[in-house]
Amino acid sequence: MIQFNVYPGGVRRIVTFSYDDGHENDARLIELFNKYGVKATFHLNGIKYLGMSDAETEAVRKLYLGHEISCHTLRHGKPANMADVSVVNETLEDRKILERIAGYPVVGMSYPSGSFSKRVIEILSACGIVYSRTTLATQKFSLPENFLTWHPTCHHRDALPLCPKFMESLDSEWTSPLFYIWGHAHELRTPDDWAYMEEIIKSLAGSDKIWYATNIEFYDYKTAQRALRISADEKILFNPTAIDVWVEKDKVDVIRIPAGQTVYL
Ligand SMILES: [Zn+2]
């Protein structure tokens, strides 16, 4: 029996952060994330970066370096209220502006105001978006069933009480593995807000049993795991992707299948 419940390095837990709207507070928040070695995704509205000079663009790229730049539509309308053509334009124009900054294909997203529908999801998919986060907090550490309706664990205001629960059970096979915290940096206003945020990050940081990932790194890893080709007798595993993946065999062995290679068990 091959199971996909292991992550880079053979760890069994993942922590990811997700911040919307792009704000001057992002710089201070990124300093905190970097201080503790955790990763985040920043969902940005392209309109704020329209017409920037090359130097300004470079400054934004450097600010988010090491984390992920992701879509949040061009002008922060509500996708479920938009005409189809507007969903297309708001997504693709946002992508184009952000990709000029990031220097990589920007294919992640979070729904502005948490607004989505079945129709919106279909259009986003056609616009090359591979995942999009909702604002529907699960209060659980569950994996997304559908990456285009990726429900987070909680907003950061509700995160601190969940941290000990998550950290206490890092070895349990029965606990769901993903702690996904979202919020807005502009909600961090007072010294107490910042101290609270640092407490959350600090309490989750520094464990060699946790993979600290951006949203797209997690998406890419799960997609690579699912792309594994496994023989019918489960003894030949071929990884056709460019990402090393790990699997668990018979609930005992953790096996690494390097990118592009075949492993014979
Ligand atoms: Zn927003």
Side-chain angles (χ1 to χ4, degrees):
M1 178 181 62
I2 303 292
Q3 296 199 99
F4 293 147
N5 55 344
V6 280
Y7 298 92
V11 303
R12 293 173 186 279
R13 295 291 184 270
I14 315 100
V15 167
T16 192
F17 290 83
S18 173
Y19 278 78
D20 290 359
D21 298 354
H23 187 270
E24 59 186 351
N25 283 358
D26 284 2
R28 184 169 172 186
L29 186 57
I30 288 168
E31 268 180 38
L32 271 186
F33 287 142
N34 291 347
K35 177 178 173 187
Y36 291 100
V38 306
K39 296 282 195 81
T41 292
F42 291 86
H43 307 279
L44 308 178
N45 304 112
I47 195 79
K48 293 182 182 170
Y49 310 95
L50 200 57
M52 275 188 167
S53 67
D54 286 348
E56 288 167 325
T57 301
E58 180 60 11
V60 178
R61 189 187 71 80
K62 277 192 177 155
L63 169 66
Y64 293 107
L65 202 62
H67 301 276
E68 178 194 358
I69 289 176
S70 169
C71 289
H72 199 48
T73 75
L74 180 64
R75 285 171 289 203
H76 208 290
K78 291 186 177 177
N81 289 348
M82 288 179 202
D84 291 4
V85 66
S86 299
V87 178
V88 171
N89 286 330
E90 285 288 316
T91 305
L92 289 183
E93 292 311 309
D94 196 32
R95 283 191 61 190
K96 287 175 196 169
I97 293 167
L98 298 180
E99 286 167 352
R100 180 179 169 231
I101 296 168
Y104 50 78
V106 173
V107 293
M109 181 161 157
S110 69
Y111 293 107
S113 308
S115 168
F116 68 95
S117 67
K118 189 166 173 283
R119 175 185 62 96
V120 168
I121 291 167
E122 286 168 4
I123 297 169
L124 290 186
S125 200
C127 292
I129 297 296
V130 298
Y131 79 78
S132 191
R133 197 211 72 236
T134 74
T135 52
L136 301 172
T138 61
Q139 307 295 329
K140 292 178 181 161
F141 306 125
S142 39
L143 298 172
E145 283 180 25
N146 179 347
F147 271 107
L148 286 165
T149 51
W150 190 352
H151 307 311
T153 304
C154 63
H155 186 277
H156 67 228
R157 76 171 84 85
D158 303 317
L160 197 54
L162 292 176
C163 293
K165 192 178 161 195
F166 185 77
M167 298 304 284
E168 275 161 15
S169 59
L170 294 179
D171 296 314
S172 165
E173 67 173 298
W174 305 113
T175 303
S176 296
L178 173 65
F179 198 169
Y180 187 138
I181 297 168
W182 82 282
H184 304 92
H186 60 72
E187 294 168 307
L188 301 167
R189 297 184 191 97
T190 68
D192 281 354
D193 293 341
W194 284 102
Y196 175 84
M197 193 66 216
E198 183 161 5
E199 193 58 35
I200 293 168
I201 299 168
K202 195 174 165 184
S203 66
L204 295 172
S207 171
D208 57 9
K209 293 182 175 180
I210 297 174
W211 179 34
Y212 302 96
T214 64
N215 292 190
I216 195 68
E217 285 171 342
F218 180 74
Y219 170 86
D220 283 340
Y221 182 82
K222 289 308 285 181
T223 304
Q225 263 187 334
R226 287 180 191 142
L228 274 184
R229 287 186 205 143
I230 303 170
S231 63
D233 65 3
E234 302 181 23
K235 289 186 174 164
I236 310 172
L237 287 81
F238 170 54
N239 178 358
T241 79
I243 295 173
D244 292 358
V245 300
W246 283 254
V247 298
E248 185 190 73
K249 181 174 168 50
D250 299 334
K251 301 182 83 171
V252 180
D253 299 321
V254 172
I255 296 150
R256 173 174 170 247
I257 306 107
Q261 293 190 27
T262 302
V263 168
Y264 299 89
L265 302 177

